[in-house]
Amino acid sequence: MTGFKEDPVLGTNDMIVNKEGSGTETGSSSRPPVVDKAREEGQSGRDMAGNSIHRSGSRPQLDLSKAAIQGNFEERDPTILLPNQSDDISHLALDIGGSLIKLVYFSRREDRSNNDKRTKTLQEKLGISNGSRRSFPVLGGRLHFVKFETAKINECLEFISSKQLHCGGVDVCNGLLGAAANNNAVIKATGGGAYKFADLFKERLGVSLDKEDEMDCLVAGANFLLKAIRHEAFTHMEGQKEFVQMDDNDLFPYLLVNIGSGVSMIKVDGDGKFERISGTNVGGGTYWGLGKLLTKCKSFDELLELSQRGDNRTIDMLVGDIYGGTDYNKIGLSASTIASSFGKAISDQKELEDYSPEDISLSLLRMISYNIGQIAYLNALRFGIKRIFFGGFFIRGHAYTMDTISFAVHFWSKGEMQAMFLRHEGFLGALGAFMSYEKHGLDDLMVHQLVERFPMGAPYTGGKIHGPPLGDLNEKISWMEKFVLKGTEITAPVPMAPSGTTGLGGFEVPSSKGATLRSDASALNIGVLHLEPTLEVFPLLADLKTYEPNTIDLSDHNELEYWFTVLSDHMPDLVDKAVASEGGTDDAKRRGDAFARAFSAHLARLMEEPAAYGKLGLANLLELREECLREFHFVDVYRSIKQRENEASLAVLPDLLMELDSMSEETRLLTLIEGVLAANIFDWGSRACVELYHKGTIIEIYRMSRNKMQRPWRVDDFDLFKERMLGSGDKKPPPHKRALLFVDNSGADIVLGMLPLARELLRRGTEVVLVANSLPALNDVTAMEVPEIVAEAAKHCDILRRAAEAGGLLVDAMITNSDGSKENSSPVPLIVVANGCGSPCIDLRQVSSELAAAAMEADLIILEGMGRSLHTNFNARFRCDALKLAMVKNQRLAEKLIQGNIYDCVCRYEPAN
Ligand SMILES: CC(C)(COP(=O)(O)O)[C@@H](O)C(=O)NCCC(=O)O
Ligand SMILES: [Mn+2]
């Protein structure tokens, strides 16, 4: 496991563990289900050999039978009583190693489900409430990863206790179970400490540790990660990290090389199917042990840090030392290849003290890393395995170690094999233990149901080992305040040395060795995993495998720097607005400051290491800002601005509709598209636009924007779109059946832009689904707000009114005409669907199940706005007709993306192929 073990590690083929044939009761998926009765009664069973099997009392699934709402039914989040739910929903697992304790725990999420009556009915009307809905065995929530030093086990116990993780029940605040400490509670644990500290856990927390086999856990954890997490695996060559997309269907077999004190090499053939095919006793323990003796270092980190400044040539015997400074060309060895680690010490007339500890440490690190890389390669070769994943305590995200191992594998395999690493590798065991809870449902989770987000629980130092837990918002704020006093400490952990080779390159000199240690020994390069069982892949994507939501890749440092500055510059104004949106109270000011600090800290962390939480795109940064605001309880920063703009726009809507109705079909279509582009100027996320707003009223700006809409636009496929809509000559194409309109901003954008366009589609017999954000982001309109806007607009327009009624949007509206007659035609419906996100951008790999269901019948999608159609999805291809409409409100983006200028427009039409 990831901790150093006391057990000696045996050499090659010393032990075979074949999960399938072993008949053991540990592990997860291959195990036969445990008889419920035995579990309920907490009995111990007997296996075939008569050994007693400890039955875990844990059962993470919710028993919803006889569930009843307690109190007021009309409340937004009423308390639900689950009388039949046992209080053993386990949501904590541990891996207690020699030096670190790794915790994986699950926290329930408050129910964010949309309770709006109107949107509910309309979804029923479209038949999308049941259709594609599955029953989800797993609760929505978050999977957290936390580390403690084993030496500070008290902090760990305190953390568990303060968060009530050992009670196995659901958060008391959520009122589900109100679980008090449960003396029968059992926590899954692996690693040597599961034995060593069992009594301490019993004594301090009243819980028993249910021990799981380390190797079972390791494999279960690795399999889960490789299948369920998008940017989990990466290569690391010459200081460059590159994520590798694993193919679910082509994952096995792989070689898992776990470098703890010793090294285990495990061939993994499937879930629960693995065999320990080899190992070596020269591992992390060897490096640490020998290093300690030779350098007098006190800790592993210290030793590793020394190596950063070392030069192994003073102590290693190189090919050049033997060949008088020249290469040994005949067998392809250059002069700088290590011929013999520590070999120079034989002939040098030196004592140990004459060598620098730095050089010794580096020589040792290279000796051990190359050796492991070579043995791993040979074993992969032996079994015809192409992929090797390295993990364990020894790796801990240390760039130079990864480079060294990668070089070895690359060198020996002549580039045929790749060494890969896992971002969560430090948590394989803990995750595996977590997976071993019976019938978790977790193993069935798919990539799109897990969203990795930046860790929001402070400390915000980029995930250093946790100190004392922070209980509530107030503590979180105090924590942020404390760090202002300490100035720069809040920013990211030690920076990675800039990459760049020495010129020697290759096997001899990995490049990422710098003056400072960039190790993940203490920093967690992982976020919080949000489990969103209702998320689905947008079914109209042409090719999920090649789909990349982000147009701007922030691994380009210039880009990152630019967007970092944009977001930083926007901060003061955003904080002002946020504070004002919460009444400008002292409490709001405190929260505002804390938000600014937390967000800055995240940005600083990402500047240091952009790939810290997987591949970083602009959409992730923009979402991070919204998540940070929510973290400090800013519910909707632009609420009043949105309201004001909605009202102003609704007031001029009747005139606009009248004007449109007086036009020919062709002119009207053009005017409508112009209207959408012009109204997209109302974007409070763009610095240029915000400056504009100080210069005129909403309507003045809208008029000015309309007047500037001369064609051709910078990207102008209007004629193609018009032909599809209106045909050419006598040919009248059939209308689209259903259009999904991804709406963007409040105010003019939706009222004077997208709604009139929706009305035109409805008039032509196309069903319209307005797709809006689930949660607020900047001034974007949310799905909760749209029905209100539609209801207002419908007062002035029969087409909208009837469609909205048909879609169930107007629950309180008249169902008779003003002359008293009933409607006799059955108009196509207008409905609203929440997209599942709370960001100005949209990642179509992860949308709400409602949207996925609504998309089934759709043959046209219209993506509007810079966030949804330029920053993301600009290059996305769909299986139906797609129209992308946006005004570019940023000069740099305009230049980069469309070789144009700020305020240029994009009307990109791509027919279904
Ligand atoms: C956040 C946004 C994507 C929102 O644009 P929208 O989707 O509303 O058209 C956009 O405002 C943006 O990229 N802003 C940052 C760049 C700037 O201030 O110029
Ligand atoms: Mn927007």
Side-chain angles (χ1 to χ4, degrees):
M1 246 329 302
T2 48
F4 272 26
K5 296 175 290 187
E6 260 86 77
D7 323 323
V9 176
L10 306 172
T12 313
N13 279 332
D14 50 10
M15 183 170 97
I16 305 278
V17 180
N18 190 329
K19 204 49 229 320
E20 275 214 312
S22 67
T24 52
E25 281 286 334
T26 51
S28 55
S29 47
S30 69
R31 176 180 41 203
V34 176
V35 185
D36 259 12
K37 190 142 178 22
R39 183 177 54 195
E40 272 159 22
E41 293 168 11
Q43 289 171 351
S44 290
R46 299 220 158 252
D47 68 7
M48 275 155 27
N51 301 316
S52 79
I53 306 162
H54 178 77
R55 305 279 194 209
S56 150
S58 49
R59 186 172 51 176
Q61 272 183 300
L62 273 182
D63 185 346
L64 298 172
S65 59
K66 304 232 168 80
I69 290 181
Q70 203 184 29
N72 187 356
F73 275 70
E74 295 298 311
E75 247 175 62
R76 200 172 128 62
D77 297 308
T79 301
I80 301 169
L81 263 189
L82 303 175
N84 293 339
Q85 175 59 48
S86 59
D87 53 2
D88 57 4
I89 301 175
S90 295
H91 49 175
L92 166 68
L94 298 161
D95 173 6
I96 313 177
S99 53
L100 293 175
I101 303 176
K102 280 77 61 178
L103 247 85
V104 172
Y105 74 91
F106 178 73
S107 68
R108 289 277 323 281
R109 173 198 55 179
E110 349 156 0
D111 190 8
R112 280 174 180 173
S113 65
N114 189 349
N115 281 337
D116 186 34
K117 261 191 230 152
R118 275 178 294 211
T119 35
K120 271 211 172 123
T121 11
L122 60 90
Q123 281 156 15
E124 278 153 21
K125 291 245 170 179
L126 254 194
I128 61 172
S129 56
N130 312 317
S132 79
R133 281 255 178 97
R134 297 183 246 105
S135 57
F136 301 106
V138 181
L139 298 166
R142 299 171 179 193
L143 214 48
H144 307 256
F145 302 87
V146 188
K147 280 185 199 175
F148 293 90
E149 283 171 38
T150 309
K152 296 179 185 163
I153 192 162
N154 279 337
E155 271 186 12
C156 174
L157 291 165
E158 205 184 295
F159 181 83
I160 294 172
S161 163
S162 75
K163 287 197 171 283
Q164 300 278 293
L165 297 175
H166 58 306
C167 299
V170 173
D171 196 335
V172 183
C173 314
N174 283 339
L176 272 174
L177 299 172
N182 174 359
N183 277 329
N184 298 319
V186 172
I187 297 175
K188 293 280 187 185
T190 188
Y195 296 84
K196 190 171 170 184
F197 297 112
D199 291 344
L200 186 66
F201 273 79
K202 187 78 194 170
E203 191 186 303
R204 295 279 297 276
L205 301 174
V207 294
S208 308
L209 298 183
D210 189 8
K211 289 123 195 138
E212 289 289 325
D213 176 76
E214 285 203 34
M215 210 127 351
D216 284 349
C217 289
L218 211 63
V219 172
N223 281 350
F224 169 73
L225 289 169
L226 287 168
K227 284 192 224 163
I229 314 292
R230 191 163 277 121
H231 295 132
E232 182 59 29
F234 61 92
T235 57
H236 205 288
M237 296 278 272
E238 307 201 7
Q240 293 300 317
K241 191 181 206 176
E242 216 158 280
F243 292 104
V244 181
Q245 197 61 58
M246 302 312 299
D247 183 346
D248 251 17
N249 302 317
D250 186 27
L251 177 61
F252 305 110
Y254 65 83
L255 188 66
L256 184 61
V257 180
N258 188 54
I259 317 177
S261 302
V263 185
S264 286
M265 302 198 181
I266 306 160
K267 176 170 166 275
V268 183
D269 290 304
D271 285 325
K273 285 191 208 161
F274 64 88
E275 186 181 347
R276 185 179 186 278
I277 54 165
S278 189
T280 160
N281 50 349
V282 180
T286 319
Y287 175 56
W288 192 355
L290 267 180
K292 194 174 156 197
L293 289 177
L294 295 174
T295 70
K296 306 274 180 291
C297 259
K298 292 278 179 298
S299 73
F300 188 92
D301 276 344
E302 204 185 316
L303 185 63
L304 210 49
E305 187 131 23
L306 279 183
S307 75
Q308 302 279 121
R309 301 187 295 273
D311 178 355
N312 63 301
R313 287 171 301 187
T314 61
I315 192 159
D316 286 346
M317 186 187 286
L318 308 183
V319 168
D321 295 327
I322 305 171
Y323 281 79
T326 61
D327 297 342
Y328 181 6
N329 282 327
K330 199 172 154 202
I331 54 169
L333 293 178
S334 69
S336 56
T337 305
I338 301 172
S340 170
S341 290
F342 287 83
K344 253 190 198 148
I346 310 169
S347 48
D348 284 349
Q349 298 302 315
K350 286 185 188 170
E351 296 300 316
L352 180 58
E353 299 73 50
D354 300 326
Y355 293 100
S356 87
E358 286 84 354
D359 298 352
I360 292 174
S361 177
L362 181 62
S363 175
L364 206 49
L365 180 66
R366 294 186 65 173
M367 175 178 96
I368 288 161
S369 301
Y370 287 148
N371 189 56
I372 294 170
Q374 185 173 9
I375 296 176
Y377 151 76
L378 288 170
N379 276 292
L381 192 70
R382 209 173 123 213
F383 290 93
I385 301 170
K386 283 268 178 303
R387 279 178 298 260
I388 314 175
F389 295 101
F390 291 86
F393 180 83
F394 181 69
I395 305 270
R396 50 168 69 191
H398 186 234
Y400 185 71
T401 309
M402 291 192 284
D403 266 6
T404 312
I405 290 175
S406 297
F407 278 124
V409 171
H410 186 83
F411 179 87
W412 291 112
S413 73
K414 298 195 167 60
E416 289 285 301
M417 287 179 205
Q418 264 190 331
M420 282 187 270
F421 306 90
L422 301 173
R423 268 188 325 115
H424 292 79
E425 62 93 3
F427 288 91
L428 296 187
L431 253 175
F434 193 83
M435 306 290 294
S436 72
Y437 282 112
E438 285 146 29
K439 208 54 231 124
H440 222 297
L442 261 186
D443 23 3
D444 300 328
L445 277 177
M446 318 263 278
V447 172
H448 58 262
Q449 294 168 324
L450 286 160
V451 190
E452 187 171 350
R453 294 223 163 89
F454 303 86
M456 286 292 168
Y460 286 90
T461 52
K464 287 215 171 210
I465 289 179
H466 272 246
L470 300 174
D472 58 13
L473 177 65
N474 197 40
E475 275 185 70
K476 224 177 280 171
I477 297 170
S478 317
W479 194 92
M480 298 309 302
E481 285 167 348
K482 219 166 61 194
F483 271 81
V484 196
L485 303 172
K486 290 202 166 193
T488 53
E489 247 184 83
I490 193 162
T491 56
V494 270
M496 181 149 112
S499 65
T501 63
T502 55
L504 289 169
F507 185 49
E508 293 85 9
V509 185
S511 59
S512 53
K513 188 167 72 73
T516 43
L517 176 68
R518 180 69 191 93
S519 154
D520 283 355
S522 56
L524 301 182
N525 270 345
I526 49 177
V528 175
L529 278 185
H530 290 227
L531 275 60
E532 308 272 1
T534 58
L535 288 183
E536 292 186 29
V537 173
F538 187 63
L540 293 172
L541 282 176
D543 182 9
L544 177 64
K545 275 210 174 97
T546 55
Y547 174 74
E548 165 57 57
N550 278 290
T551 313
I552 306 287
D553 183 359
L554 296 184
S555 52
D556 173 342
H557 197 78
N558 286 336
E559 281 299 333
L560 179 62
E561 212 159 59
Y562 171 76
W563 289 103
F564 177 93
T565 314
V566 166
L567 293 182
S568 302
D569 289 352
H570 190 200
M571 197 104 70
D573 182 53
L574 181 63
V575 173
D576 283 353
K577 288 206 168 54
V579 172
S581 76
E582 298 281 316
T585 58
D586 284 348
D587 167 65
K589 279 185 199 134
R590 246 185 112 206
R591 285 190 281 133
D593 280 352
F595 154 75
R597 256 166 244 135
F599 185 49
S600 308
H602 277 303
L603 286 180
R605 168 90 181 97
L606 290 166
M607 276 300 279
E608 294 293 347
E609 206 190 350
Y613 304 107
K615 202 170 165 196
L616 183 71
L618 181 54
N620 309 93
L621 274 192
L622 291 168
E623 184 182 34
L624 168 65
R625 180 168 64 184
E626 303 300 331
E627 285 283 313
C628 265
L629 282 167
R630 288 190 271 274
E631 184 69 10
F632 289 94
H633 294 196
F634 291 105
V635 182
D636 188 355
V637 175
Y638 289 84
R639 186 172 30 214
S640 62
I641 291 175
K642 292 195 290 183
Q643 250 159 24
R644 197 179 67 214
E645 292 192 1
N646 286 341
E647 279 161 23
S649 307
L650 282 163
V652 297
L653 179 67
D655 286 348
L656 175 68
L657 295 183
M658 233 156 59
E659 200 183 316
L660 285 165
D661 288 344
S662 69
M663 294 172 183
S664 70
E665 213 178 22
E666 205 175 315
T667 320
R668 194 165 66 230
L669 190 63
L670 175 61
T671 313
L672 283 164
I673 299 296
E674 272 177 8
V676 171
L677 295 171
N680 191 236
I681 200 168
F682 292 96
D683 166 14
W684 283 89
S686 149
R687 188 170 151 170
C689 293
V690 173
E691 275 163 26
L692 262 185
Y693 302 152
H694 300 306
K695 298 185 182 139
T697 65
I698 294 165
I699 299 306
E700 279 164 3
I701 293 162
Y702 174 67
R703 290 230 170 83
M704 182 270 302
S705 185
R706 284 288 305 255
N707 291 338
K708 289 203 164 172
M709 281 295 121
Q710 277 114 5
R711 287 187 67 201
W713 302 308
R714 192 68 207 166
V715 176
D716 192 340
D717 296 333
F718 177 76
D719 292 336
L720 203 60
F721 178 63
K722 186 180 79 181
E723 195 180 322
R724 169 58 189 91
M725 294 290 283
L726 309 178
S728 56
D730 292 339
K731 250 183 43 205
K732 276 267 167 233
H736 288 98
K737 181 172 182 331
R738 182 184 291 174
L740 302 184
L741 273 57
F742 289 75
V743 295
D744 181 5
N745 303 320
S746 304
D749 203 352
I750 180 152
V751 177
L752 306 177
M754 290 301 263
L755 261 190
L757 181 60
R759 174 178 179 259
E760 185 68 17
L761 289 161
L762 291 165
R763 196 210 295 261
R764 295 167 48 79
T766 301
E767 293 174 10
V768 173
V769 182
L770 297 174
V771 184
N773 266 15
S774 299
L775 294 171
L778 289 167
N779 60 322
D780 290 356
V781 67
T782 66
M784 286 281 269
E785 294 158 353
V786 177
E788 200 90 42
I789 296 171
V790 172
E792 277 305 308
K795 286 183 185 162
H796 311 287
C797 170
D798 266 2
I799 300 172
L800 285 176
R801 181 179 59 78
R802 294 204 334 248
E805 272 171 17
L809 270 180
L810 305 179
V811 276
D812 308 322
M814 299 181 301
I815 41 166
T816 50
N817 284 330
S818 34
D819 61 2
S821 66
K822 295 251 183 235
E823 298 290 352
N824 46 15
S825 61
S826 61
V828 285
L830 169 66
I831 73 159
V832 178
V833 158
N835 60 13
C837 47
S839 151
C841 300
I842 186 164
D843 180 343
L844 292 169
R845 292 172 301 199
Q846 293 167 310
V847 301
S848 70
S849 51
E850 285 84 356
L851 172 53
M856 289 301 186
E857 301 265 297
D859 48 1
L860 171 66
I861 71 169
I862 301 181
L863 286 162
E864 191 231 347
M866 212 163 136
R868 289 165 190 79
S869 71
L870 300 183
H871 288 335
T872 49
N873 304 311
F874 188 58
N875 301 317
R877 298 273 154 198
F878 296 95
R879 286 202 269 120
C880 65
D881 295 347
L883 183 67
K884 297 166 185 173
L885 297 173
M887 178 188 275
V888 192
K889 291 147 290 192
N890 176 282
Q891 179 64 27
R892 183 183 167 105
L893 190 80
E895 285 168 23
K896 194 174 167 97
L897 215 56
I898 56 170
Q899 290 76 51
N901 283 304
I902 189 164
Y903 305 126
D904 276 350
C905 288
V906 173
C907 170
R908 193 184 232 197
Y909 178 66
E910 292 149 337
N913 45 25

